[in-house]
Amino acid sequence: YKRQGVKEIRTRRALVTPGEPPTLLLAIKGLDFASQLTDEELELLAAHSRYVHRKSGVTLLREGQGADVMEVIVSGFVRSVVTLPEGRERELGILRPGDYFGVSSMLTGQPSIVAYTAESDLTLIHVDKVCIQSLLTSRPELAEVLADVVKQRMDAAEQVRAAARTRVPRLSLNDIRRRIRQRFQRSRLT
């Protein structure tokens, strides 16, 4: 007869040492609009940015809340959702390292139309409005690039709500540009 036995599998847990996060400058160079910036502007962004850490499950930005920062994901995952009128949430997607959020609200001065929650422990780069404002003041054409990003994100949220038969006010690209100019010209005066 065949001998029935327990087959033993030995496993070993490897020591995993967390890697060093990339330098702020290297991480910022990975942004989709970084190619539009000079080396000096990239260094300015890096000099006025800082790492922040957030635990899994933390709400990073609520729908309807304003943001004065742009957060760049260095490690971890962020869930983006919109709330439908009946209170249900609809997921827009999962943001990964290299993605960023908060930019739409920061640039337009409007409350966020999307909520962002940490799906895992996160390392983020915190870029504040003052730094972005100085870039837009010295190079107003950058507002054009960022307006396209804002428009794409607003359209994505609108499509999700429309699919759920929810009416969402539409903003044209020109409306977004005008709001960015007004917000940052007004800030410059103060």
Side-chain angles (χ1 to χ4, degrees), residues 36 41 135-147:
Q36 306 292 317
E41 291 166 337
L135 281 177
L136 294 178
T137 300
S138 64
R139 296 245 335 263
E141 68 274 13
L142 290 175
E144 201 54 41
V145 173
L146 294 172

Side-chain angles (χ1 to χ4, degrees), residues 8 22 35 40 51 59 93 95 103 114 116 120 137 146 164 167 190:
E8 186 176 318
S35 64
E40 293 79 27
Y51 282 110
T59 300
L95 305 179
V103 68
V114 179
Y116 298 93
S120 64
T137 300
L146 294 172
R167 189 176 180 286
T190 57

Side-chain angles (χ1 to χ4, degrees), residues 55-111:
K55 294 287 186 191
S56 180
V58 171
T59 300
L60 304 164
L61 181 61
R62 286 178 169 66
E63 191 172 341
Q65 178 183 357
D68 283 338
V69 297
M70 176 176 78
E71 303 280 8
V72 181
I73 303 168
V74 175
S75 67
F77 301 97
V78 173
R79 181 174 180 245
S80 59
V81 299
V82 294
T83 304
L84 303 176
E86 66 275 5
R88 291 183 303 131
E89 288 185 343
R90 181 75 49 96
E91 185 173 297
L92 290 175
I94 299 292
L95 305 179
R96 295 165 172 33
D99 293 335
Y100 54 96
F101 60 94
V103 68
S104 299
S105 180
M106 179 186 70
L107 291 174
T108 64
Q110 299 297 307

